[in-house]
Amino acid sequence: MTNSDVLRSIAITAAAVSVVAFAVFGMRGKYVGTREGRADENYLQSTDCRVCHEEHYTSWRRTHHSRMTQEAGGETVQGDFEKENTLEYLGVKAKMTRDANGFHFELTNPDGSREKHKIERTIGSRRIEQYLIKNNGQYYRFPIAYDLMNRRWMSLNGSFFYPDSNNFDQHLAQWDVNCVFCHNVKAQPNFDFRTRLANTEVSELGIACGACHAQGAEHAELAANPLRRNLWRFGRGDEKKIIDPLGIDTDRSMMICGHCHGQRMPEPQTRIREILTKGDPFDAGDDLSKYYKPIHADSNLGEMTFEARFWPDGSPRLTAYEYQGLKASPCFTKGKAGARINCLSCHTMHGGDVKGQITDDMRTNLACTQCHTEYQAPEAVTKHTKHDADSAGSSCYACHMPKVVYGVQTFHPTHQISVPRPEMTADKGVPNACSQCHVDMSLNWAINSSKEMWPEYFKDAKPSTLSEFDRPETIRGLFAGDALTRAMMADALLRHGNSDLAAAFLLEAYSTDNYPIVRYFAANGLSAWFPAVKRPDYLLFADERKPVVDEWRRRFDGDRVRETERAAAALRAIRKEVDLEVGE
C-alpha cells in the first residue's frame, strides 16, 4: 500500500467516525427544559449523569448519601421483618411483616384496636433506618425505627433527646414539610395552606448529583458533542455549565454542604410560604445567605427557640450544625474569603471511607498540618502538645475537635475548631477536650495541669472552689450534667475508661436516668465490659429495669454499689436540669 493509499484510508476512517459521531450527536436526548416551570427545572437524574461519569456514579452509590431516602423494597429495607420482628412499647404491640404487597407495621393498641400501615420509603442506612408511611396522601415518619448497629427494633425515643414519655406517637412527624428538605434533591412540598395538605415532589430521592452540582441539563446537551468533550478533557473549550464544588470559591463551596449540614431558617422568615409552595430556591453554587439564615443559640422561629441545641459558648451540641461550627472557627475567620478552609479541605464526596467520606490520611494530623506545617515533625508536635507524638494527646482532632456533638446514637467531633479551655467547664458548662480522654481525673486537675504545661496561655485560669469539680469530671457530668452531657460522659467512659472505674457508675446511670438515650450509652459500656451478660434494654421504664439492675448489681461488691449510689445522689442534687427535647 502506497503512502497515498494510507492517507486516503485514514481520511476515509476519520470521515466515517465524524459522520457517526455527529449522527449520535444529532440523536442526543433533549435535556434543557426538563420539568420546565418547576423549582427543579433542568435538574437531571443521577442515571443521566452515569452515561458519561460512570466512575463518579459508582463512588457516589457507595455512600450513605445515595441511600438517604429510598423507595421501600427488597433491595433497600434492612430491618428484620421475619425473625426478631416484634416490639412492645407503652402497651402497643408492634409486629413488622412482609408480604407480596410490601412491608408493614401491624399494631395492636392497649384498647385492643388494630392498625396496619404500609411502609412506603426508608430514611437512613447507616445507624438507624426510619420508615415513611402514607396517610391521606401525606408522608409521615413512623415512630418505630430499626437500630442497625444493635440489630433491633426501637422507638425513636431511643435515639432522640427526649425524656421517657407515655406518648407512643411522640415522634410521628410529617415528612413533606420537614425531613424532605435535606434528605433529597430540590424538595417541592406544593403545600396548600387552605387544605393544609402537601403534594410533595423532589428532583430525586436521596442526596444525589444535583444536590452538589445543581442543574445539569445544559451541561449534558453540551457534552453530547464529542468534539467539545475532547476539548474539555484537555482543559480547553467553552464553559461546562455545571457546578464543580472543587472549582468554585471555597465559601460558596461550603454553602453547598451548609445547605443541609447547617440547620437554617428562611431569610426573611416570610419566605417560608414560598418554600412550602414552590419549593427550595437554593441551587448549588448560589449564595446561601440570599435564601436562608443559619440557626444559632439566640435564634427563634415564632415561639420556638434553639438555645438547647448549643453549648453555653454558642458552639453546636448536635450534628447538622457543622456549617455554623466551622464558620465560627479561627481557621475560617482568619482566612481569606473565597480561599480558606471549607468542608472539602478534609472531606471528599467520591472517595475515602464512606463513614464520614474522609480518607485515611485526613483522619490523621495531616488534616491540620496541611496548613499548620510547623507541626508536621514529631518533635514539633511533642513540644506543642506536651504529650508523646504518637499518643492520643497529640491528636489534633482529640484536642481541637473533641467528640462533644451528638447525632444518631453517636458522638462526633465538633467542627468548631478551638483551643481546649478546662476552666470553661466550671464557668459555663462547656465541655473540654482534656476530660474527654482523662476520664479518671477531675476538672481542677485539668485546669492545674494546663497551667503547668502552658503557663503563658493559661496564666489567668483558676481552679474551681466547688468540691464537685474535685471528682472525676466524667462521673460528675454523668449525674450533675444535663441529658446531653450525661450521655456524652457515658460515651467517654466507654471509649477511654475501664470497668473498675466506670461500670458501677454506668449501672447507676442506667438504673436512674429518665432519658432513654442516656441509658443507651450506659448500656453500651456495660455490654462492652461484660459481653457474656445479657445487654440491658435502654427502652425499659424504671419498674421494668429494676430486675435487670438487681441482677447486674450482684456482679459488684455491695459496699461499692452503696458508695456509688451515695455519690450519684449527691451529684444529682446539684443538677441544673435543662428542658432538652431535640429530635434528629
Side-chain angles (χ1 to χ4, degrees), residues 80-87 94-98 153:
D80 187 347
F81 284 78
E82 296 177 355
K83 296 178 181 178
E84 301 294 328
N85 61 333
T86 60
L87 175 71
K95 185 174 183 179
M96 283 54 77
T97 62
R98 179 182 184 181
W153 290 97

Side-chain angles (χ1 to χ4, degrees), residues 377-578:
E379 56 272 20
V381 172
T382 299
K383 183 178 179 180
H384 173 63
T385 67
K386 309 299 190 290
H387 290 72
D388 291 341
D390 58 353
S391 71
S394 286
S395 162
C396 301
Y397 282 115
C399 291
H400 300 291
M401 297 177 67
K403 291 185 176 182
V404 298
V405 170
Y406 174 80
V408 195
Q409 297 186 310
T410 305
F411 278 89
H412 305 263
T414 179
H415 281 63
Q416 186 151 329
I417 305 164
S418 62
V419 175
R421 298 195 65 90
E423 70 274 18
M424 289 282 285
T425 303
D427 295 344
K428 292 189 174 183
V430 179
N432 71 90
C434 306
S435 297
Q436 288 290 304
C437 287
H438 297 283
V439 295
D440 56 339
M441 305 304 289
S442 71
L443 179 70
N444 280 339
W445 171 88
I447 294 171
N448 288 326
S449 296
S450 298
K451 289 173 68 71
E452 181 181 334
M453 289 191 283
W454 300 281
E456 283 301 310
Y457 192 84
F458 290 102
K459 61 183 178 182
D460 296 326
K462 296 179 180 179
S464 173
T465 58
L466 299 176
S467 61
E468 65 184 275
F469 293 110
D470 291 323
R471 295 180 179 273
E473 177 58 17
T474 46
I475 304 303
R476 188 202 70 84
L478 182 62
F479 298 103
D482 65 20
L484 198 147
T485 300
R486 300 198 300 270
M488 180 182 67
M489 292 310 187
D491 180 60
L493 283 167
L494 169 59
R495 288 187 288 112
H496 297 290
N498 57 66
S499 60
D500 290 340
L501 164 72
F505 284 106
L506 290 180
L507 180 59
E508 177 67 11
Y510 172 78
S511 171
T512 59
D513 209 288
N514 65 328
Y515 273 72
I517 192 59
V518 177
R519 302 197 297 265
Y520 169 84
F521 285 102
N524 281 354
L526 292 171
S527 182
W529 290 320
F530 301 95
V533 185
K534 184 178 179 181
R535 180 189 183 86
D537 188 341
Y538 55 94
L539 287 176
L540 297 179
F541 285 79
D543 57 338
E544 299 170 310
R545 294 197 303 276
K546 188 177 185 307
V548 179
V549 172
D550 289 344
E551 175 64 27
W552 272 85
R553 278 180 178 155
R554 285 193 281 271
R555 311 191 73 79
F556 302 103
D557 176 76
D559 290 340
R560 174 73 183 279
V561 169
R562 287 185 287 275
E563 180 186 340
T564 298
E565 289 175 343
R566 286 193 296 270
L571 290 168
R572 281 195 297 268
I574 60 174
R575 179 191 299 172
K576 295 179 181 178
E577 197 65 82
V578 174

Side-chain angles (χ1 to χ4, degrees), residues 5 97 99 161 166 188 192 233 286 299 361 517 567:
D5 291 333
T97 62
D99 58 28
F161 264 98
N166 291 318
Q188 301 149 74
D192 186 325
R233 288 192 183 98
D286 284 350
S299 301
D361 282 348
I517 192 59

Side-chain angles (χ1 to χ4, degrees), residues 49 87 147 157 231 297 319 333 387 424:
C49 305
L87 175 71
D147 179 343
N157 218 30
L231 286 173
T319 53
T333 59
H387 290 72
M424 289 282 285

Side-chain angles (χ1 to χ4, degrees), residues 237-366:
D238 50 15
E239 187 181 350
K240 295 182 180 180
K241 299 294 184 182
I242 195 74
I243 295 297
D244 176 3
L246 287 169
I248 59 178
D249 86 53
T250 57
D251 292 6
R252 289 292 178 94
S253 176
M254 194 164 82
M255 289 175 181
I256 297 173
C257 305
H259 177 239
C260 289
H261 290 275
Q263 288 278 12
R264 63 200 187 282
M265 61 176 62
E267 176 60 26
Q269 289 191 16
T270 53
R271 190 187 292 274
I272 188 65
R273 295 186 71 90
E274 172 194 344
I275 293 170
L276 288 177
T277 52
K278 296 180 181 178
D280 188 346
F282 176 77
D283 298 307
D286 284 350
D287 181 351
L288 186 64
S289 66
K290 287 172 53 181
Y291 310 108
Y292 297 102
K293 179 188 294 185
I295 288 170
H296 293 284
D298 58 355
S299 301
N300 62 76
L301 194 59
E303 296 183 358
M304 184 177 182
T305 61
F306 300 90
E307 184 177 2
R309 302 185 182 196
F310 297 84
W311 295 107
D313 65 345
S315 61
R317 292 171 19 123
L318 301 170
T319 53
Y321 293 85
E322 291 80 11
Y323 183 65
Q324 286 91 323
L326 190 55
K327 283 194 70 176
S329 302
C331 295
F332 181 88
T333 59
K334 293 181 179 180
K336 180 181 178 182
R340 52 188 164 185
I341 190 173
N342 74 338
C343 307
L344 297 180
S345 299
C346 298
H347 295 275
T348 174
M349 296 299 99
H350 291 283
D353 183 356
V354 295
K355 297 177 180 179
Q357 297 189 227
I358 190 167
T359 63
D360 289 343
D361 282 348
M362 287 298 129
R363 290 193 182 279
T364 70
N365 284 354
L366 179 62

